[in-house]
């Protein structure tokens, strides 16, 4: 029975997180996985290359060796194992799950902040601090997005929480009340 992407990511991500905790190399592996994720983002055809039946195994193994050159034993073993078990296509999902578990461990929340205009650093820090208090996080990482369609205000979205204080949503709410 084939496992879906989410199940594979959860199993491998959890196992990886437990291993790095046990070996006390969490921060090193976190940095290495961030670099691998940059490679995947920069080269979207990487996964296609690694899963293509027309590419020789030796070339794929050479690519993995090139990526893991200088990496920790844990990171190298992860890529080797994913490749050997035919799960290299799930690499990005596994990294995402590992990052999610790490954020949970560090009580960190990632939030997408959408505004109509660019925010300065002080505004971002104030929003992050307020959001941290609401969700009980020790640290909030802000990903700022500009969307003029929201007209004004702010929309904050994390994995488990959405706060929509945009003028656009307030106008929509007034419209719904007027239509009733």
């Amino acid at each position: 029975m084939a496992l879906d992407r989410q199940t594979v990511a959860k199993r491998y991500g959890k196992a990886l997180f437990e291993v790095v905790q046990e070996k006390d190399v969490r921060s090193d592996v976190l940095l290495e996985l961030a670099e691998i994720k940059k490679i995947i983002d920069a080269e979207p055809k990487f996964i296609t290359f690694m899963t293509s039946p027309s590419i020789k195994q030796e070339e794929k193994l050479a690519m993995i060796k090139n990526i893991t050159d200088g990496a920790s034993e844990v990171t190298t073993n992860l890529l080797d194992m994913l490749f050997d078990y035919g799960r290299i296509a799930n690499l990005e999902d596994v990294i995402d799950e590992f990052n999610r578990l790490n954020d949970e461990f560090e009580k960190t929340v990632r939030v997408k902040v959408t505004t109509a205009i660019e925010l300065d650093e002080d505004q971002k820090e104030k929003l992050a601090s307020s959001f941290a208090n609401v969700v009980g996080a020790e640290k909030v990482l802000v990903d700022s997005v500009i969307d003029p369609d929201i007209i004004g205000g702010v929309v904050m979205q994390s994995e488990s929480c959405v706060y929509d204080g945009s003028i656009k949503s307030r106008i929509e709410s007034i419209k719904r009340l007027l239509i009733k």
Side-chain angles (χ1 to χ4, degrees):
M1 177 172 96
L3 298 174
D4 63 57
R5 292 177 67 116
Q6 186 177 15
T7 302
V8 170
K10 285 187 180 283
R11 287 184 183 176
Y12 282 82
K14 184 176 187 214
L16 176 62
F17 192 77
E18 289 174 1
V19 167
V20 299
Q21 287 287 79
E22 193 176 289
K23 294 186 176 256
D24 196 27
V25 292
R26 185 176 51 84
S27 59
D28 294 339
V29 171
L30 186 65
L31 293 173
E32 291 170 353
L33 293 179
E35 289 300 314
I36 291 171
K37 183 129 170 141
K38 284 181 190 174
I39 291 169
I40 294 170
D41 291 343
E43 286 298 329
K45 293 182 182 178
F46 168 74
I47 297 298
T48 305
F49 174 86
M50 294 302 294
T51 57
S52 173
S54 62
I55 308 291
K56 293 180 182 175
Q57 291 291 93
E58 296 81 32
E59 292 178 42
K60 295 176 186 179
L61 288 170
M63 177 68 75
I64 288 176
K65 181 148 180 61
N66 186 32
I67 290 172
T68 58
D69 186 39
S72 68
E73 177 184 7
V74 173
T75 301
T76 302
N77 288 345
L78 171 70
L79 265 68
D80 288 344
M81 183 174 57
L82 288 173
F83 180 74
D84 290 345
Y85 292 162
R87 302 223 185 269
I88 199 72
N90 301 104
L91 176 59
E92 191 169 10
D93 298 325
V94 172
I95 292 171
D96 289 343
E97 177 64 11
F98 177 84
N99 288 335
R100 188 192 68 74
L101 291 168
N102 189 66
D103 287 348
E104 192 176 284
F105 176 80
E106 291 181 343
K107 294 186 186 329
T108 298
V109 174
R110 296 174 190 270
V111 63
K112 177 178 151 186
V113 175
T114 305
T115 55
I117 59 170
E118 182 75 33
L119 298 176
D120 63 33
E121 288 306 312
D122 188 47
Q123 291 169 319
K124 288 179 187 177
E125 286 179 28
K126 286 179 183 174
L127 285 171
S129 177
S130 296
F131 199 74
N133 290 335
V134 170
V135 297
E138 290 182 15
K139 182 178 176 186
V140 174
L141 301 175
V142 175
D143 177 23
S144 186
V145 177
I146 298 171
D147 181 3
D149 290 341
I150 71 166
I151 303 168
V154 64
V155 178
M156 299 176 76
Q157 182 177 0
S158 70
E159 188 175 297
S160 63
C161 183
V162 175
Y163 169 78
D164 188 344
S166 68
I167 293 175
K168 180 180 180 179
S169 71
R170 290 180 186 169
I171 291 171
E172 293 297 323
S173 177
I174 291 169
K175 280 182 185 177
R176 283 190 299 273
L177 290 172
L178 291 171
I179 292 173
K180 282 187 178 180

